[in-house]
Amino acid sequence: MTIQLWHCQNSRSFRVLWALEEIGADYDLHMLCFPPRVNNKAYLEDNPLGTVPFLRDGETEMTESCAMLEYLGARYGAGSGCARSPEDADFGAYLNWLHHGEATLTFPQTVVLRYARFEPDARKLPQAVEDYREWFLARLRKTEATLSDGRAFLLPSGFSMADISVAYAAQLAITIGMREQMPEQVMRWFTGLTERPAFIRTREIEAKGHIAAGYPERQPVVLP
């Protein structure tokens, strides 16, 4: 059965779409308007959380983007070089970076987005926005230090799903206007990743994607 992915432009589901392209999996893509739980009520029948990404693979249903990366790498990534197994020397580092990208790096940016852009003016919190911007930049120290030797990927053994996880956090930061504050080595590494054929294909797929059948035909909300 073909993998099904529900996706919104520029959301965490970008990680999963990119991963699917890297491993060459067969999948069906369902593009939704953001936020889907508000603009696509029918989607709640598929995913009661109303969040993206949502992945269905036969009887398996998943809602966490980094868990999807681990799942896809373990189940379908053989030969792609995207995953690491328990026998690999850098397996622990692989798992740590995989979850670091979400739990440590993406989380503070969601606070920035909510209280700088998504809440009505009366509920915006400029101090929280600034505090969580600084939190995010501080948490990039580990990534910057790891890349300080000029390596192209987070793991010495090469590209992996861990790069996809952390790269999305960098991509989101740039999207919300933090490019000038990004550390030098992080930007060098991220720029290199954007030249990967699978990344380029993912961007092209997003650009020409249409709203999935059965959902309201509204234009997706794309962050500037």
Side-chain angles (χ1 to χ4, degrees), residues 32 36-47 213-216:
L32 302 175
R37 63 183 173 274
V38 174
N39 292 325
N40 309 109
K41 295 295 187 182
Y43 176 52
L44 297 174
E45 297 177 14
D46 292 304
N47 175 16
Y215 297 106

Side-chain angles (χ1 to χ4, degrees), residues 14 17 23 27 35 44 46 48 64 69 71 86 89 91 105-106 143 156 163 171 180 193 207 211:
F14 184 89
L17 184 56
I23 65 177
Y27 66 91
L44 297 174
D46 292 304
E64 299 299 322
L69 299 186
Y71 173 83
F91 180 63
L105 295 180
T106 304
T143 313
D163 291 289
Q171 177 177 314
E180 299 304 316
L193 292 177
I211 303 304

Side-chain angles (χ1 to χ4, degrees), residues 96-177:
N96 196 69
W97 282 116
L98 197 63
H99 297 285
H100 182 84
E102 176 63 23
T104 299
L105 295 180
T106 304
F107 164 70
Q109 295 182 83
T110 62
V111 177
V112 172
L113 277 168
R114 176 170 181 174
Y115 291 106
R117 301 195 180 197
F118 293 155
E119 291 287 350
D121 288 345
R123 287 180 51 81
K124 285 184 168 62
L125 299 174
Q127 188 60 59
V129 169
E130 183 58 30
D131 289 348
Y132 278 84
R133 282 182 187 272
E134 292 300 321
W135 180 358
F136 167 73
L137 292 169
R139 296 304 187 271
L140 282 176
R141 291 170 185 161
K142 174 179 172 64
T143 313
E144 180 74 354
T146 298
L147 298 168
S148 63
D149 61 0
R151 70 177 65 177
F153 309 112
L154 292 171
L155 300 179
S157 56
F159 178 79
S160 72
M161 295 292 190
D163 291 289
I164 293 178
S165 173
V166 177
Y168 174 72
Q171 177 177 314
L172 181 57
I174 293 166
T175 300
I176 63 178

